[in-house]
Amino acid sequence: METEMGKKGILAVSFGTSYEETRKRTIDAIEAALSDAFPDRVLYRAWTSRRILKKLEETKGIHYDTIPEAMERMKRDHVTDLLVQPTHMLDGLENRTMIEEIQKYQDQFTCIRIGKPMLSDETDKEALTEAVIKIFPELNDQNMLALMGHGSPHITEGIYESLDEQFRAKGYPNICVGTVEHEPGFDGILERASRQKPQKIFLAPLMIVAGDHAQNDMAGEDEDSWKSQLERKGFQTVCVLKGLGEYPQIREIFVRHAQQAEKL
């Protein structure tokens, strides 16, 4: 892990979650995969959600580094060659803010390379759609799978729609994608369910962790949740509260991006 100039590090940057169990199975699992793939690098972690960081400190006394705190920690540890891999889904606001924060330290490290988020090109979309098809082998023509993405108002426009189109192109018109905060919204899923009339609708997060959105907006008992709205229409629902980070096929995408960045 030592070079002539100092240590080699890898920084995993995540939004974070206050749900301990999903953190263990997703963020921690991605970090473990990165650590295994780069045994010559010391693993560090940073979370970007100030709300989650504050909540964990106040309720559980747990502290996770912000990006500036992680960068300062690595400087103290004499890390000079840094590889950064975000666990973000898209190159949206969170990812762009992360890049800006890290670039402030560009002249304080010998080398900083940053990997891409999960969905960055057509290869990634192909890998994701293939993974989802394998993850849900029980899906058949009589059932439907609705995936809940977060959504972004920024430069990621069109990615969710293209994923939806890709499922249809692969012969899976019963797999549809919506987002909880932006477009495409839930109305499209409800319209397709009304048209296809599936016997059962699986609901699953198209997010790295199964956190607040998955637990509440998707699977919650409130009348506005996806589950409640579908059940009021007479559909039988099955909620799959597993974040994408739980699946080895997804973790491999992050490892591949980090490996590509290291070669730059």
Side-chain angles (χ1 to χ4, degrees):
M1 297 179 186
E2 296 278 355
T3 68
E4 291 183 2
M5 299 296 294
K7 293 181 180 178
K8 296 171 70 175
I10 181 167
L11 174 64
V13 180
S14 303
F15 181 79
T17 180
S18 59
Y19 290 81
E20 183 178 3
E21 288 307 311
T22 192
R23 187 212 77 223
K24 291 177 181 177
R25 297 192 299 263
T26 57
I27 295 174
D28 289 6
I30 295 170
E31 292 174 351
L34 291 170
S35 184
D36 289 344
F38 297 92
D40 61 330
R41 292 182 178 274
V42 181
L43 178 72
Y44 294 84
R45 162 194 282 172
W47 284 10
T48 60
S49 172
R50 300 282 180 169
R51 176 184 61 82
I52 291 173
L53 291 171
K54 181 179 179 182
K55 179 179 179 179
L56 287 174
E57 289 231 23
E58 292 179 347
T59 61
K60 297 184 178 182
I62 297 173
H63 177 82
Y64 292 112
D65 283 347
T66 62
I67 290 175
E69 287 173 339
M71 300 300 280
E72 293 297 333
R73 183 184 301 277
M74 288 184 288
K75 284 170 55 182
R76 291 195 299 271
D77 290 347
H78 306 290
V79 171
T80 56
D81 182 329
L82 176 59
L83 178 62
V84 180
Q85 180 55 52
T87 68
H88 302 145
M89 282 285 296
L90 307 168
D91 189 22
L93 178 61
E94 287 291 329
N95 203 65
R96 289 302 176 96
T97 301
M98 175 204 75
I99 293 172
E100 290 175 1
E101 286 195 88
I102 289 171
Q103 286 178 337
K104 295 175 183 177
Y105 291 84
Q106 193 72 52
D107 61 350
Q108 300 178 50
F109 290 79
T110 303
C111 177
I112 298 180
R113 285 162 287 191
I114 303 176
K116 294 179 179 179
M118 192 177 85
L119 285 175
S120 297
D121 55 32
E122 291 301 318
T123 300
D124 298 334
K125 285 192 283 186
E126 177 72 19
L128 175 60
T129 53
E130 288 292 335
V132 168
I133 291 167
K134 292 178 181 177
I135 287 166
F136 292 92
E138 69 272 36
L139 191 66
N140 56 47
D141 293 341
Q142 304 303 313
N143 298 331
M144 178 176 167
L145 170 62
L147 298 169
M148 174 187 271
H150 184 275
S152 173
H154 299 280
I155 56 175
T156 56
E157 182 179 357
I159 288 182
Y160 292 105
E161 290 89 344
S162 67
L163 281 174
D164 198 278
E165 293 169 3
Q166 196 155 336
F167 283 121
R168 290 200 297 271
K170 289 179 176 292
Y172 290 88
N174 54 338
I175 300 179
C176 52
V177 180
T179 67
V180 66
E181 292 194 353
H182 297 282
E183 294 298 328
F186 177 69
D187 289 345
I189 290 174
L190 193 58
E191 186 276 330
R192 196 183 301 187
S194 299
R195 188 175 68 250
Q196 295 182 1
K197 297 180 172 54
Q199 293 178 356
K200 187 184 299 181
I201 300 177
F202 293 91
L203 299 173
L206 191 67
M207 305 175 190
I208 301 304
V209 303
D212 276 332
H213 286 311
Q215 302 278 347
N216 300 313
D217 298 305
M218 186 189 80
E221 297 300 327
D222 290 347
E223 63 178 15
D224 291 336
S225 74
W226 285 18
K227 171 180 177 287
S228 295
Q229 292 186 65
L230 287 166
E231 290 182 348
R232 281 201 304 273
K233 294 290 184 179
F235 296 108
Q236 179 185 353
T237 64
V238 177
C239 295
V240 183
L241 291 172
K242 295 179 70 173
L244 291 176
E246 295 194 35
Y247 303 107
Q249 304 98 311
I250 301 301
R251 298 196 289 269
E252 288 172 6
I253 297 176
F254 290 115
V255 169
R256 172 165 55 83
H257 284 180
Q259 290 170 335
Q260 291 169 341
E262 189 180 45
K263 295 175 182 177
L264 295 177

